[in-house]
Structure formats: C-alpha cells, structure tokens
Amino acid sequence: MRASTLSIGVTSWAVFALVIGSAQSFTSVNPPLATYYQPASSKLHQSSKPNELFDSPSWEAIEQELDQVPVFAVANAEGMPIKYSIEKKDSPAFEVPLFYTHVEDALQELEKAKKSTPLPGMDINPYPLGGIFRMWAEDSAVIIPNKKSIIQAGAPPMANPMGQQVPLFACMEIAQEDENGKPVLPLFFELEDAQNAVSQAVSFDGGKADDFEVVGLNLPEAVSLLTNAKEETTAFQFVPPKSSLEHIRDYLTG
C-alpha cells in the first residue's frame, strides 16, 4: 500500500466544544414521521453488539475519535434536541431525536420545524458523534446521513436517508502520520472531501489521481474494525463534512 501524507486541516474539536450541546435531555413537540425504521441494534456487526462494543477496552478511544465529528439536531432554546415519533414496522411508534451528519440537512429540518411546531429560540445545535453513536446503537436516537452521500455510496436515487447507514469514503493509498509516526487513514463523510484529499496527496507526492481509488464503507463497519484492530493496525481519523466545520467556525467568529 502506498502511504502518501497529507494535511486534512481539521480544526481542533476543543474549539467546537465551546458550543457543543448536551444530548441527554430532550423535548417532545414534533408530529409523527411516517417512516418505517430499522433498529440500529440489528445493523451492528455480530462481533460488535452494543454491550460488547461499549464494554470493550477500545471504546473510550473510539468514542474520542468519533467526538471529533459534529452531528446536528433541531433543539429548543435550552439546547435540548427535539424528539420525533418514528414508526417501526410491526412495532409501536417510539420517540427519538434526529441527528444529521450534514449541517445543511439539519437547517432544512429546522425550517420545517419552525412552520409545524415553532418554539422560542429554536435552532440547530452541534453534538459530538461519539455519544450520539452510542445512543443510536441503543435505539435511543436516529442518525440521518446526507442523501447525496448515500447515493454516491450506491443507494438508489429514490432512497430515503432515514434508516440508511452513514457512508464513509476512504482512499487506502493515502495516509497521514500521527505524532508517533503511525499511519492514520482518514475516513471522510463527504466523497468530494476524499477526492480533494487524493488530489492533495498527488500534488505532494506525484502520480496520477486516477491511480488512487476511493472506496466506501459505513460507520458501523468502521467502528467494528476499530474495535477489533490490533496494536500495529493503521488507525482511522474521522473527517467531518467541510460544510459542517465551516458552519461552526462561522458561528464562533460571529
């Protein structure tokens, strides 16, 4: 495997932590969503069932990596995410908050919520993905990927993002080194960001961009790989969508 080095340019999450919200309290005001939802617990790899995953020695480090990625939810003035009623096939409806991987999708949902159930101070808030992933795995939250991304990952054009796996994009031939010189493979939430990283690696090290293949996997697969990884295995870095980082940066700078 060719290991090219590149600079991802991800702003430190310590800065984002200044505006991050808590997702442990919720407010239920929105009408039902007519959506059949497959429980997340049925989507986890058999070797990484929720209890096994979160009790494993590696989970704390994985959670810290995931927490570098913001996901967004519509929230009330106190920062509590709004819960929605979800229909589950052959089961009673249940209420959960919805977290979006892409800020533009959360902003669209905010406009819908303002029209259907307006609340004073309603806005979108960012939350760290690590804790939200755990909630998702325990069926107490829904993570909604971007529709364009799921189509780029192979979903049909008419696919509903609700209930779909969160796609990730990577090029196995590019890597950046950590402070110990260990290769770290970036996993992108945006195909375009992965392609831009490939172009950057080519400009640094030469070669042709066509020789670098961008492949897809999903978020639970990546977490399972990290859970079962050996010490010498290449590490992953989760790279948020550029638009999400820019949204938070603009918020912080006024």
Side-chain angles (χ1 to χ4, degrees), residues 177-183:
E177 293 183 351
D178 64 15
E179 62 273 12
N180 298 317
K182 181 179 180 179

Side-chain angles (χ1 to χ4, degrees), residues 13 20-21 23-24 53-54 59-71 99 126-138 140-141 143 189 219 223 238:
W13 186 249
I20 207 74
Q24 298 307 309
L53 170 61
F54 303 127
W59 169 246
E60 183 176 354
I62 295 172
E63 184 175 25
Q64 290 176 358
E65 288 296 327
L66 291 171
D67 279 347
Q68 303 302 309
V69 178
V71 290
F99 296 91
Y127 303 87
L129 178 57
I132 304 307
F133 180 85
R134 180 166 187 160
M135 292 172 59
W136 170 83
E138 297 171 345
S140 57
I143 301 176
F189 283 72
L219 181 58
V223 171
F238 296 96

Side-chain angles (χ1 to χ4, degrees), residues 42 44-49 52:
S42 66
L44 289 176
H45 191 278
Q46 289 298 313
S47 63
S48 297
K49 295 178 182 178
E52 295 175 1

Side-chain angles (χ1 to χ4, degrees), residues 33-240:
L33 295 178
T35 300
Y36 290 115
Y37 177 71
Q38 181 182 0
S41 54
S42 66
K43 300 178 182 180
L44 289 176
H45 191 278
Q46 289 298 313
S47 63
S48 297
K49 295 178 182 178
N51 288 342
E52 295 175 1
L53 170 61
F54 303 127
D55 290 340
S56 70
S58 58
W59 169 246
E60 183 176 354
I62 295 172
E63 184 175 25
Q64 290 176 358
E65 288 296 327
L66 291 171
D67 279 347
Q68 303 302 309
V69 178
V71 290
F72 298 84
V74 177
N76 65 13
E78 287 73 40
M80 295 188 297
I82 292 172
K83 294 171 70 174
Y84 296 75
S85 180
I86 305 294
E87 294 183 12
K88 189 166 60 174
K89 191 173 183 180
D90 301 325
S91 298
F94 63 105
E95 291 190 337
V96 288
L98 307 182
F99 296 91
Y100 294 86
T101 61
H102 287 57
V103 67
E104 55 266 32
D105 296 328
L107 288 169
Q108 289 180 10
E109 180 57 37
L110 173 63
E111 293 307 310
K112 295 178 184 177
K114 285 181 176 178
K115 293 177 181 178
S116 61
T117 50
L119 290 174
M122 182 183 287
D123 205 346
I124 63 168
N125 267 16
Y127 303 87
L129 178 57
I132 304 307
F133 180 85
R134 180 166 187 160
M135 292 172 59
W136 170 83
E138 297 171 345
D139 296 326
S140 57
V142 174
I143 301 176
I144 303 179
N146 177 257
K147 183 165 185 176
K148 179 181 176 182
S149 293
I150 65 172
I151 293 173
Q152 290 172 330
M158 299 304 292
N160 184 346
M162 173 79 74
Q164 298 287 333
Q165 300 281 24
V166 175
L168 300 171
F169 303 93
C171 178
M172 303 303 177
E173 296 170 317
I174 65 174
Q176 53 183 345
E177 293 183 351
D178 64 15
E179 62 273 12
N180 298 317
K182 181 179 180 179
V184 179
L185 181 67
L187 300 179
F188 298 89
F189 283 72
E190 282 270 5
L191 176 59
E192 289 79 3
D193 291 342
Q195 292 170 334
N196 289 338
V198 167
S199 298
Q200 183 181 353
V202 168
S203 67
F204 285 166
D205 299 328
K208 296 181 179 180
D210 291 343
D211 296 333
F212 293 73
E213 182 184 9
V214 176
V215 298
L217 69 163
N218 62 57
L219 181 58
E221 286 176 340
V223 171
S224 292
L225 288 171
L226 286 173
T227 303
N228 300 298
K230 304 295 184 181
E231 183 70 24
E232 65 276 7
T233 305
T234 298
F236 293 157
Q237 178 191 11
F238 296 96
V239 183

